[in-house]
Amino acid sequence: MSFPHAIQAAVFDMDGLLIDSERPLRGAMMAAAVTVERPLTELFYGTLIGRPYPAVRQMLVDHFGGEALFERFTDLYRSAIQAHFDAGIALMAGVVELLDHLDAAGIPMAVATSTQRERALHHLTQAGIADRFRAVIGGDDVSQGKPHPEPYLKAAAALDVEPRHCIALEDSHNGIRAAHAAGMMAVMVPDLLAPTAEIEALCRVAADLHEVRRWVAA
């Protein structure tokens, strides 16, 4: 499958795209919400995915009816997810093969994530792939997070490549909106969220990163 422009760089989301973190995080948050007796619905949780932390925090504070219950919820889920990550961070299917292919082709890579930069670097290092990227743009590196294009525009600038020559890989709706708004060639690899008609109009949808590698190699 050909792309409209030559691929000169690749920019990756992290959670649910490079590392298998979205499902454990959802499990930890859902369990914590039940413990504090304010369960989260799947529909509501889906609206949190791919948003910058300040927006997510406010949505959760509103859900829990104030800071006190939100803080209790946060302590519970962070303890659970930290224990999970301490045991190891798994890569999503096809990550290594795609990174190897892009490296061999001389295509520089960056990460644009809503996760704070220090935490993102820690996770990428723990997963063994931090050194594969020339730049990591975290949620605290931008003034406006996804779905605003700033994270992707900043990643393109860090790689010194025009956005239209960058392929952007995402698993969330807000990430695809951000990548498309930045003028990149967006590809969604669904994890927790299925593409909607709106999202399909903004990108190509791949079954996994193995399929993306075949597209890039074509």
Side-chain angles (χ1 to χ4, degrees):
M1 180 178 292
S2 62
F3 286 89
H5 306 289
I7 298 173
Q8 297 177 0
V11 185
F12 293 78
D13 177 47
M14 184 181 73
D15 294 292
L17 190 282
L18 289 171
I19 63 174
D20 188 10
S21 53
E22 289 287 8
R23 293 176 190 278
L25 179 60
R26 179 181 63 178
M29 291 179 71
M30 290 290 198
V34 169
T35 299
V36 301
E37 300 182 342
R38 290 295 298 270
L40 302 175
T41 66
E42 292 283 351
L43 181 61
F44 176 77
Y45 188 84
T47 66
L48 305 178
I49 297 173
R51 290 185 184 274
Y53 179 70
V56 171
R57 186 185 192 283
Q58 188 57 56
M59 292 170 71
L60 289 171
V61 168
D62 292 344
H63 172 80
F64 291 113
E67 294 284 346
L69 199 58
F70 167 75
E71 292 296 341
R72 184 180 170 211
F73 159 80
T74 299
D75 288 344
L76 287 168
Y77 93 76
R78 283 185 174 171
S79 176
I81 198 62
Q82 189 60 53
H84 177 87
F85 286 152
D86 286 346
I89 294 180
L91 294 173
M92 300 296 283
V95 169
V96 173
E97 292 86 349
L98 178 56
L99 297 183
D100 285 347
H101 174 78
L102 294 172
D103 269 338
I107 295 175
M109 294 173 279
V111 170
T113 176
S114 296
T115 299
Q116 292 192 338
R117 187 172 185 275
E118 184 177 350
R119 186 170 180 81
L121 284 169
H122 177 76
H123 287 173
L124 293 168
T125 299
Q126 192 174 0
I129 58 172
D131 62 348
R132 309 298 292 268
F133 303 99
R134 293 191 187 178
V136 174
I137 307 301
D140 51 339
D141 291 320
V142 298
S143 60
Q144 300 185 82
K146 303 173 187 177
H148 193 276
E150 185 182 354
Y152 278 101
L153 293 174
K154 197 158 188 174
L159 296 175
D160 196 25
V161 175
E162 292 183 14
R164 67 191 181 97
H165 286 294
C166 296
I167 184 173
L169 304 172
E170 271 284 353
D171 70 300
S172 76
H173 297 170
N174 282 326
I176 289 296
R177 293 180 184 115
H180 178 78
M184 294 189 177
M185 297 175 283
V187 175
M188 183 178 184
V189 184
D191 182 30
L192 296 183
L193 297 177
T196 62
E198 174 218 347
I199 296 303
E200 288 180 341
L202 304 180
C203 69
R204 296 178 179 179
V205 180
D208 54 29
L209 292 177
H210 289 297
E211 185 168 25
V212 175
R213 176 174 49 84
R214 291 191 290 270
W215 291 351
V216 172

